[in-house]
């Protein structure tokens, strides 16, 4: 079997020689001619039922060849039978929740996780009874009507790790969904230790250039089929241009992640020594929960770190205002380095008590390392942290 770096370049392109093309074809059709009505009806029935393909795509909400190509590529990279692509990571999560609602009303969720995912689950919008638990409580909290268990590892934004194999064992027959956005398929493959669904906000590392919003769920074909039905019914399809951009980003995934991870390692070590910083959260430093899983479940510590500042919110705001090279913005996994304030932005929709209980403090910043030179990144961050110390000093507050 070819190695990941090779598969990332060639996956989804197996028929290019036959088509005599070098770049992925981009099919922007919204509808497809139906010359044979009976054959068209058969295709319609198959696609609405969730089949991966049919003789005629019929309508773009049911199937698109460009989207199908990137789905095939990502299934290869995650080691699953299938992949279903959606308009965003949140659309992907919502589709799984809606499909699982047919199998039970109860969902177990381990915090922390992406703020909007937390909000969706806690809100009850999907008609599910959601119970937030520690990973160690799962075996005792599984009920007869438990339809799904949701975890994110590494966790957003604290980078805590969750033992996927242990959660799968505790879940028994209940399917486990793992949001593996932070890890990417290069560093972690949750299906191998038994996860039923592997979710990625493909907006992040998979796209990698800050120009596409997408979400994917990798799973076996039996679970993919009803997800396609949900996608067709709800209209949560991925636009073919977004699929094209997503596929374009995959060949450089390994290169980008390896460079960004090296930068994150350098920055984490230096941030830990800066006097403005109270604590650094980074798996490579052993400063997160279950950091030992970097040696087994993961193949590297990843490209993100978080750090808490002594000066709290004032210091965090001053740091974001002072950076000149880094981009003070939400999201992650882009080629440029992004820094943001979870309590005030990505996790603002989570109740304050729940944020604090999960380590999302007013002084916490999350940094997604890009592929710039590490020394340039550190020079920028160091001066920003210095500025934060001045801005949050008692003398500055009194003034």
């Amino acid at each position: 079997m070819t190695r990941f770096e090779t598969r990332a370049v060639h996956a989804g392109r197996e028929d290019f020689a036959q088509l005599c093309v070098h770049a992925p074809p981009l099919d922007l059709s919204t509808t497809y001619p139906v010359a044979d009505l009976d054959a068209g009806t058969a295709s319609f029935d198959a696609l609405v039922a969730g089949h991966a393909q049919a003789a005629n795509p019929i309508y773009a909400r049911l199937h698109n060849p460009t989207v199908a190509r990137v789905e095939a590529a990502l299934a290869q990279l995650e080691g699953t039978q299938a992949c279903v692509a959606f308009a965003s990571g949140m659309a992907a999560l919502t589709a799984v929740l809606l499909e699982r609602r047919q199998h039970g009303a109860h969902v177990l969720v381990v915090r922390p996780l992406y703020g909007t995912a937390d909000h969706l689950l806690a809100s009850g919008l999907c008609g599910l009874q959601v119970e937030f638990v520690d990973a160690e409580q799962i075996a005792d909290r599984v009920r007869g009507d438990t339809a799904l268990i949701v975890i994110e590892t590494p966790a957003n934004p604290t980078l805590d790790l969750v033992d996927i194999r242990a959660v799968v064992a505790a879940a028994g027959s209940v399917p486990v969904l793992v949001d593996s956005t932070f890890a990417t398929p290069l560093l972690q493959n949750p299906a191998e230790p038994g996860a039923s669904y592997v979710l990625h906000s493909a907006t992040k590392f998979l796209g990698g250039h800050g120009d596409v919003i997408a979400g994917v769920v990798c799973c076996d074909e039996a679970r993919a089929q009803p997800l396609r039905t949900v996608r067709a019914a709800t209209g949560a399809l991925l636009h073919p241009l977004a699929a094209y951009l997503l596929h374009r980003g995959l060949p450089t995934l390994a290169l980008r992640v390896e460079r960004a991870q090296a930068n994150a390692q350098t920055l984490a070590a230096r941030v830990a020594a800066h006097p403005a910083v109270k604590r650094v959260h980074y798996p490579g430093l052993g400063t997160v929960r279950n950091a030992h899983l970097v040696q087994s479940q993961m193949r590297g510590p990843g490209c993100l770190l978080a750090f808490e500042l002594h000066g709290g919110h004032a210091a965090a705001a001053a740091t974001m205002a002072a950076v000149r090279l880094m981009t003070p913005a939400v999201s992650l996994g882009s080629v440029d380095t992004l820094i943001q304030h979870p309590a005030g932005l990505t996790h603002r929709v989570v109740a304050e008590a729940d944020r604090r209980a999960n380590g999302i403090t007013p002084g916490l910043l999350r940094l997604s390392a890009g592929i710039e030179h590490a020394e340039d990144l550190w020079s920028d961050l160091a001066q920003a942290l210095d500025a934060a110390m001045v801005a949050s000093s008692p003398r500055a507050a009194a003034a």
Side-chain angles (χ1 to χ4, degrees), residues 13 27 43 86 93 170 175 187 211 214 243 282 341 379:
R13 302 166 185 256
D27 188 335
S43 292
F86 295 86
L93 174 61
L187 301 181
D211 57 7
Y282 185 62
H341 185 248
S379 177

Side-chain angles (χ1 to χ4, degrees), residues 99-377:
E99 197 286 320
R100 291 308 304 170
R101 192 172 65 177
Q102 303 175 68
H103 305 274
H106 182 238
V107 175
L108 292 173
V109 182
V110 176
R111 279 174 166 152
L113 66 162
Y114 174 51
T116 304
D118 189 305
H119 179 62
L120 174 67
L121 289 158
S123 69
L125 282 171
C126 291
L128 292 161
Q129 180 186 350
V130 174
E131 183 179 358
F132 293 95
V133 297
D134 293 333
E136 296 75 18
Q137 298 175 306
I138 289 173
D140 294 331
R141 300 297 181 88
V142 169
R143 308 185 327 204
D145 64 340
T146 303
L148 185 69
I149 294 167
V150 178
I151 66 174
E152 180 173 358
T153 183
N156 187 350
T158 63
L159 285 304
D160 285 339
L161 305 183
V162 181
D163 190 329
I164 298 171
R165 197 176 301 276
V167 168
V168 169
S173 61
V174 179
V176 174
L177 179 149
V178 177
D179 185 334
S180 193
T181 298
F182 278 21
T184 81
L186 177 67
L187 301 181
Q188 177 175 274
N189 299 113
E192 189 278 326
S196 298
Y197 301 98
V198 182
L199 184 144
H200 288 277
S201 174
T203 308
K204 293 12 183 231
F205 288 103
L206 300 184
H209 294 78
D211 57 7
V212 60
I213 294 180
V216 299
V217 179
C218 298
C219 55
D220 62 28
E221 178 57 30
R223 296 192 187 280
Q225 187 167 334
L227 289 181
R228 296 189 194 102
T229 296
V230 172
R231 181 178 64 183
T234 60
L237 65 152
L238 181 63
H239 191 276
L241 179 57
Y244 175 89
L245 293 173
L246 179 56
H247 204 174
R248 182 205 61 181
L250 293 184
T252 60
L253 176 61
L255 292 172
R256 290 186 282 105
V257 170
E258 288 165 359
R259 176 60 175 266
Q261 179 174 254
N263 283 344
Q265 290 172 306
T266 297
L267 292 175
R270 295 184 184 182
V271 167
H274 196 283
V277 177
K278 182 190 303 184
R279 178 186 175 189
V280 176
H281 303 255
Y282 185 62
L285 295 181
T287 53
V288 301
R289 188 180 306 166
N290 293 321
H292 67 278
L293 292 172
V294 172
Q295 307 302 322
S296 54
Q297 182 170 285
M298 295 181 68
R299 293 181 286 274
C303 311
L304 285 102
L305 58 135
F307 50 92
E308 299 174 56
L309 300 173
H310 287 293
H313 181 274
T319 301
M320 288 184 63
V323 293
R324 295 293 176 262
L325 182 64
M326 297 181 180
T327 305
V330 299
S331 200
L332 57 108
S334 185
V335 289
D336 60 323
T337 298
L338 304 174
I339 187 168
Q340 68 98 14
H341 185 248
L345 295 168
T346 56
H347 291 71
R348 185 68 175 172
V349 290
V350 179
E352 182 179 1
D354 292 328
R355 291 200 305 264
R356 288 183 177 272
N358 288 278
I360 306 171
T361 64
L364 184 74
L365 289 173
R366 190 194 73 192
L367 186 150
S368 171
I371 64 172
E372 304 97 330
H373 196 286
E375 294 301 330
D376 294 328
L377 292 175

